[in-house]
Each structure stands twice: as C-alpha cells, then as structure tokens.
Amino acid sequence: MLAGDPCYDRILAALPHRDRFRRALGVAPGQRLIVLNSTWSARSLLGDAGGATGTDDPASWLLPRLLSELPADEYRTVAVLHPNIWYGHGPGQVRAWLDRARRAGLTLVHPLDAWRQALIAADCLIGDHGSVTYYAAAVGTPVLLAAFPHDALDPHSPVAALGRTAPRLRPGDDPRRRIEDVIAAHDPRDHAALAEQTSSSPGRSAALLRRLCYDLIGIPEPADRPALLDRLPLPAFEPVERTAPVRVLSRLVSGDPPEVAVTRYPDAAHEPEGPDADGAHTLVHEDTRDTGRLDVADVIVRYGAADDPRTGPPAAWTAEVLERHPYCGLAAYVTGPDRCTVRTRAGDLLVLSAAPGPDGRPDLCDPAAYASALHAWLAAGKALPETGDGMTVVTGTSRHRITVTPAATP
C-alpha cells in the first residue's frame, strides 16, 4: 500500500485503552454499549429513503425501540453520525430530530473527536454501509446492519463484502434478543478478511506518508525524528442523564440482608413486561419536559453538585420537592457517579453510596437505580435498612452493594 490508513492505525493503537473509553461514556461493568452509526446518504441508517429492504426506514422504528425496550442499566446507547449529517443539516436540527431519543438516554458522540473511541468501546455496533461500520467489523466488534443499499455499491468493494456477510436487524426483530444473539455468536475471525483489506500496512501509515511527502518535495526525511500519529485522546466523562420518565419494575429478592432487583425502561411506549416483578413505579427527572408526570411520580430525581447554589444542598432540595409534590414517595439528588442523597416521605434523609469495584474504581451504575430500589423496599412495607447492613441492588447480572447512612443536616 502506498500510504496505509492513519485512521485505522490510530484505532489499532488505542485498542488497549478500551476500558478507559467505556468508563468515559459511563458504561458500568456488566452493561452493554450499543453504538448506532449512520453515514450521510438518503439510504443510510438515519436516511429517509428506506433501509434494509428498501421500504423500511430504520429512523422511524429503530431508535424508539432501542431506547424504550433495552433496560437502561443493562444497555448504554450512543450514536455516531457522519460529519456531513451535522454540517449539512446543522447541529440544532440534528439535536431536534433526535430530541426524544436524547431525553431517553441516547448520547450523540462528537463527529470528529470521539467516534473512534466509541467504536473501540462498543459491545455491538448497529450501522450501514459507512466506513465506521466497516472499521468496527475490521477490529472485531460485532456488527448488525439496519440499512444497506447493495445496489449503490461496487459489488467487488470490501464494504459490499461486509454487506453480504454481516447479520441484519430488521423491523420485525426483537432488538434485545437480536443484539444478544449476535454478540454470543460472534467470532472476530469472521471478518479477518475485512481487516486485511483495510490496510496492507497496519501501524505503518505515519512512516509511509512522511516518506512519500518528503520524496515528492525532494528533500531527505529527518533522521532523528520518528514519524508518529497523534494518540486518541481520552474523552471527558459523560454519564447518561435521562429526563424522560422512567418506568421501574422491581422485585424483592431477599429480606435479610435487603436485596432488591430493579429493571428500568425510559420513555416506555407501553407497560414493560416483567414476569418476576412484584412491584412497579415511575421515576421522573425534575427537568422533564412532561411536567404533568411530576404530579404522579413515585420518585423524583435531580443530578448536580451538592454545593450548587441554584438547587443544593441536597437536604434543602429534597425537602422542597416532597413539599411541592405530595404524592411523591422519595426524592433523590444524585451528587456523584456512585452516590445520591434521598429523602423519604417519612422524612428520613439518607446517603446511598455504592461500594467500589475490586480495582477500587467507582461503581458507574446510575445512582437513581439505588433510589428506586430503596423506594420499592419501603413501598413493600419494609423498614429502613440498618446502617451497618445496607442493601444490595441488582441490575441485570450485576450486583451493587449499597451503603445506607444518615445524611448530615445543617
């Protein structure tokens, strides 16, 4: 190859930092990261001229189903959109089109700075005929195609080969089951040929490009300066914050010590099914657009610094919320990635904090899930957990050990 592929080389060099990129996106252990990718044609995943079959538009069904049917604490969903989508329509229009999905938990990844990191971090990428989907397959990420215009591609191209071999996600599929089946059946060697076609000189593009450029201008390369590519930067920490109402199914697993399982569905189009659930309630963000839901919310939540003078301290905010909304059973002020302060209807002011993982890093499960678990426990007529015992909150296959302590009051 004449010059290699600098983009691919930067991805390959950053693969060892996958866990860091996942933590930057707020992905907790045991949680799946689903990346949606759309290129910029009318027949792309978010185009308006038909998807996988030519008649089914993924934009009309895929996002609503993913965000409402995938349990919030078991799946994290982000979108990588081609820069021409952003700059062709304008950032404001793109955000407006995806506003409902964003309120339900979708994060829009910066189209220039962080898409490679999201690709590396992904457990599964749902895409189309764009280069990001191809790169994902080339580095061994499970790929599902929700749109793919075969007749628009050269049948001999590597991208067309991906379209012939990668599994599909169609409107009639159960998204969760399809994603899990593809992850379970995936073998990175399935797309080994695609990786070989991505670059014949992986890891060497910087040296090849510099040599070519210096040859063209007719001067020797610097002998004492190696040709290097910029490393992919570590993105800022960006946990999800859902402002759409969340329906929470709960199950009391054990009473001694307290253990509660919660499954949360944001912006649910219908009542979620939970055959093992023995309770259900609604959690609503104070900044929800649907302000009428605050009047019937069981749990009201806010995220912010404890010393934010606009809303804090948590003791003042929680008291204010319960006074304003008499049917609310618990108010929760999330102050960090692993903790929140809650006030019960009985007036107890408590701090719920998750134990760190074995490596000492904080538990990145949304602390609002802990507030919902405590509400479910109290709604079942149980007493507050003992300070020394705390409680265990179960989300999917993950268990979170929560300490329950009285909050200091001014």
Side-chain angles (χ1 to χ4, degrees):
M1 181 173 286
L2 185 65
D5 185 338
C7 180
Y8 186 54
D9 285 353
R10 294 179 75 196
I11 292 172
L12 294 178
L15 290 176
H17 302 300
R18 180 174 186 264
D19 287 345
R20 294 182 185 179
F21 298 152
R22 290 173 65 82
R23 290 194 295 271
L25 287 167
V27 180
Q31 192 176 33
R32 303 283 201 197
L33 175 63
I34 309 303
V35 175
L36 301 178
N37 169 240
S38 180
T39 192
W40 62 292
S41 75
R43 298 172 67 186
S44 66
L45 186 141
L46 293 184
D48 58 4
T53 66
T55 57
D56 300 309
D57 177 11
S60 66
W61 62 268
L62 182 57
L63 276 173
R65 292 195 62 188
L66 285 178
L67 273 300
S68 64
E69 295 181 22
L70 297 182
D73 301 303
E74 299 170 50
Y75 296 87
R76 172 86 164 95
T77 307
V78 305
V80 172
L81 310 182
H82 194 284
N84 284 359
I85 296 176
W86 286 96
Y87 302 121
H89 300 286
Q93 182 63 75
V94 171
R95 292 189 178 97
W97 280 333
L98 299 177
D99 177 69
R100 182 167 183 174
R102 291 168 58 220
R103 288 185 282 120
L106 178 73
T107 294
L108 300 181
V109 175
H110 192 282
L112 299 179
D113 295 340
W115 68 267
R116 299 171 188 85
Q117 295 89 322
L119 180 157
I120 292 168
D123 290 292
C124 180
L125 186 141
I126 301 173
D128 52 24
H129 59 296
S131 58
V132 175
T133 303
Y134 187 91
Y135 279 134
V139 298
T141 300
V143 165
L144 275 169
L145 298 178
F148 204 92
H150 289 277
D151 58 346
L153 302 172
D154 181 342
H156 301 293
S157 68
V159 175
L162 173 63
R164 290 190 292 270
T165 58
R168 302 302 179 90
L169 178 63
R170 304 180 189 277
D173 292 338
D174 178 326
R176 182 179 185 182
R177 182 176 302 166
R178 191 75 179 111
I179 289 169
E180 290 300 324
D181 287 348
V182 165
I183 292 174
H186 179 67
D187 183 341
R189 295 172 296 182
D190 291 343
H191 296 305
L194 300 182
E196 293 176 359
Q197 291 179 295
T198 305
S199 173
S200 61
S201 303
R204 299 181 57 219
S205 63
L208 291 171
L209 276 170
R210 190 176 76 170
R211 183 181 308 154
L212 175 63
C213 292
Y214 273 85
D215 285 347
L216 287 173
I217 59 178
I219 60 175
E221 294 183 67
D224 58 344
R225 297 180 183 177
L228 303 172
L229 296 172
D230 288 340
R231 297 182 63 180
L232 295 183
L234 182 62
F237 180 55
E238 191 174 8
V240 66
E241 183 175 333
R242 300 173 181 85
T243 59
V246 178
R247 191 62 174 162
V248 184
L249 304 183
S250 60
R251 176 170 59 91
L252 273 58
V253 179
S254 171
D256 188 20
E259 184 171 330
V260 181
V262 293
T263 309
R264 306 190 304 151
Y265 297 92
D267 198 24
H270 50 77
E271 182 67 13
E273 295 182 2
D276 297 328
D278 52 30
H281 64 269
T282 299
L283 177 146
V284 182
H285 194 296
E286 190 186 31
D287 289 341
T288 182
R289 180 174 296 179
D290 190 355
T291 55
R293 299 293 292 275
L294 291 168
D295 294 332
V296 296
D298 300 289
V299 178
I300 296 177
V301 66
R302 170 168 283 285
Y303 297 73
D307 60 354
D308 187 334
R310 301 168 301 168
T311 53
W317 179 85
T318 53
E320 178 184 279
V321 164
L322 291 182
E323 181 179 1
R324 182 180 298 137
H325 302 286
Y327 297 108
C328 176
L330 185 144
Y333 192 113
V334 177
T335 56
D338 58 354
R339 67 191 59 241
C340 62
T341 299
V342 304
R343 188 184 294 273
T344 69
R345 177 52 65 182
D348 301 287
L349 186 66
L350 308 164
V351 175
L352 310 183
S353 55
D359 58 3
R361 292 191 170 103
D363 189 327
L364 294 183
C365 179
D366 182 1
Y370 312 149
S372 277
L374 179 61
H375 172 76
W377 178 260
L378 297 176
K382 305 292 186 179
L384 282 173
E386 295 291 335
T387 300
D389 294 336
M391 64 188 304
T392 297
V393 178
V394 180
T395 58
T397 60
S398 298
R399 296 167 60 84
H400 314 275
R401 182 65 183 163
I402 310 302
T403 300
V404 182
T405 56
T409 56

